[in-house]
Amino acid sequence: MPASHPVTRPRRLRTTAPLRAMVASVRLHPADLVLPLFVKEGIAEPQPVSSMPGVVQHTRDSLRKAAVEAVRAGVGGVILFGIPAAKDARGSAADDPAGIVQLALADLAAEVGGDTVLMADLCLDEYTDHGHCGLLTARGEVDNDATLHRYAAIAVAQARAGAQVVAPSGMMDGQVEAIRTALDSAGYQGVAICSYAAKYASAFYGPFRDAAECAPQFGDRAAYQQDPAAGLADAVREVELDVQQGADIIMVKPALAYLDVISAVAASVQLPVAAYQVSGEYAMVEAAAANGWIDRDRVIAETLTAIRRAGASIILTYWAAEVAAGLS
Ligand code: PBG
């Protein structure tokens, strides 16, 4: 090809960092990031989670400090998970007004409630002795409709304690409607629902089960969470149902192995789409980085960028505070 030929050169816009920044279309902003936090009843000191280096189970006191620090770093929100001292078959601590999550939500509402979005994970697995996300039938199966009554009660307890957004993660059919109805009739019309709408039965949740002490004592969650081998239509259908039932934000989980799902969901809804970069995604990067095999900070930025590029506007990530601090 002659040198004078007017070749189209995409590389021209990659010449300098300022040029690349100017033409970039995917940007991370601290306000898009939500930090998951764990609070455990009955401990005197924060407990490290061995499979998630850098993540701890907080005391009420250390939780308050971690939340203040995250908000100062600019995160858009925090989402709280509670680990009660005692568990039973119905997960009684989940909606106990004196349960650890309710106490911690009230602490955070007082401390940072005006400056951030205070979210609460809404599920039963951290609170049940069998570790499943719902009540069990005599045959040991998760009873969908009986579980909805529990979720409704938990939603009201969390709202009363100060949660501004409840995030049902149990994948029961009809959970968004049951929660919306309960919140509205208790006077919490203003509390939003961020639905874990497309949530897969994923091995990437492994480290979380250490953090939240919620591994199922028998069986697995494949009868309620989605099959990774299901087609995109399954995800879009789950999302449509949650939209009809009154969800305000739609979540996809996990994130990196499900970028196609994020993309399909973002194309199909008019609501904000969140993605959860889960514990296993975090642990893999931390482990490889600890071995010197990857550049930790660049991999973190690249994964978050990919999740944003796929169409998520909100990202739940255990790196939220660190990344937000680096961006601002
Ligand atoms: C269920 C819940 C889980 C996670 C968030 N909410 C565990 C599960 O479904 O088994 C996983 C989060 C993570 O892996 O980081 N309450």
Side-chain angles (χ1 to χ4, degrees):
M1 207 175 285
S4 62
H5 191 81
V7 182
T8 301
R9 295 183 184 277
R11 286 180 56 191
R12 239 176 243 131
L13 295 180
R14 299 177 194 145
T15 316
T16 67
L19 253 179
R20 292 190 292 271
M22 189 181 77
V23 300
S25 61
V26 179
R27 295 183 206 281
L28 291 172
H29 190 277
D32 304 329
L33 304 175
V34 173
L35 179 66
L37 289 165
F38 301 100
V39 63
K40 182 170 174 172
E41 186 176 11
I43 53 172
E45 293 296 326
Q47 306 289 317
V49 178
S50 61
S51 53
M52 299 179 74
V55 173
V56 301
Q57 297 174 323
H58 283 288
T59 65
R60 278 174 69 186
D61 204 40
S62 72
L63 178 79
R64 237 187 268 126
K65 291 180 188 136
V68 167
E69 201 177 299
V71 171
R72 205 171 280 148
V75 300
V78 297
I79 180 165
L80 195 59
F81 294 87
I83 306 132
K87 308 192 185 208
D88 60 21
R90 59 187 295 281
S92 302
D95 59 326
D96 180 348
I100 183 66
V101 152
Q102 273 65 250
L103 298 177
L105 280 170
D107 290 343
L108 296 188
E111 195 84 35
V112 293
D115 306 317
T116 196
V117 180
L118 189 50
M119 301 174 60
D121 185 80
L122 196 171
C123 200
L124 277 171
D125 58 330
E126 296 98 336
Y127 306 93
T128 51
D129 50 12
H130 46 73
H132 278 286
C133 298
L135 301 181
L136 300 181
T137 63
R139 292 171 54 200
E141 287 162 356
V142 171
D143 185 337
N144 190 92
D145 294 7
T147 300
L148 297 183
H149 296 290
R150 297 291 298 127
Y151 287 2
I154 300 168
V156 172
Q158 292 179 338
R160 192 168 286 147
Q164 298 156 358
V165 179
V166 296
S169 62
M171 291 299 284
M172 294 303 123
D173 292 334
Q175 63 185 15
V176 172
E177 183 176 62
I179 290 166
R180 186 71 270 156
T181 304
L183 287 172
D184 289 355
S185 48
Y188 296 107
Q189 292 87 350
V191 169
I193 300 175
C194 170
S195 167
Y196 289 69
K199 174 171 175 178
Y200 289 82
S202 173
F204 285 100
Y205 308 148
F208 174 90
R209 292 174 187 176
D210 292 341
E213 301 177 12
C214 63
Q217 298 305 300
F218 65 90
D220 56 31
R221 308 206 201 291
Y224 39 105
Q225 298 178 347
Q226 288 167 262
D227 184 354
L232 290 175
D234 189 51
V236 171
R237 180 160 172 257
E238 282 282 4
V239 167
E240 270 171 15
L241 290 170
D242 284 8
V243 171
Q244 285 163 15
Q245 292 173 37
D248 301 286
I249 299 172
I250 289 298
M251 198 191 320
V252 174
K253 180 185 173 189
L256 202 57
Y258 296 84
L259 294 178
D260 56 335
V261 176
I262 296 173
S263 167
V265 165
S268 80
V269 283
Q270 309 293 319
L271 296 175
V273 174
Y276 198 143
Q277 182 175 56
V278 300
S279 57
E281 301 180 61
Y282 175 90
M284 288 197 303
V285 173
E286 291 291 346
N291 277 292
W293 296 337
I294 55 169
D295 180 330
R296 176 182 180 276
D297 294 358
R298 286 186 57 207
V299 169
I300 292 171
E302 191 173 331
T303 58
L304 293 172
T305 300
I307 295 163
R308 288 284 278 117
R309 194 182 61 234
S313 58
I314 303 164
I315 305 176
L316 286 72
T317 173
Y318 299 96
W319 291 303
E322 175 188 329
V323 172
L327 290 170
S328 39

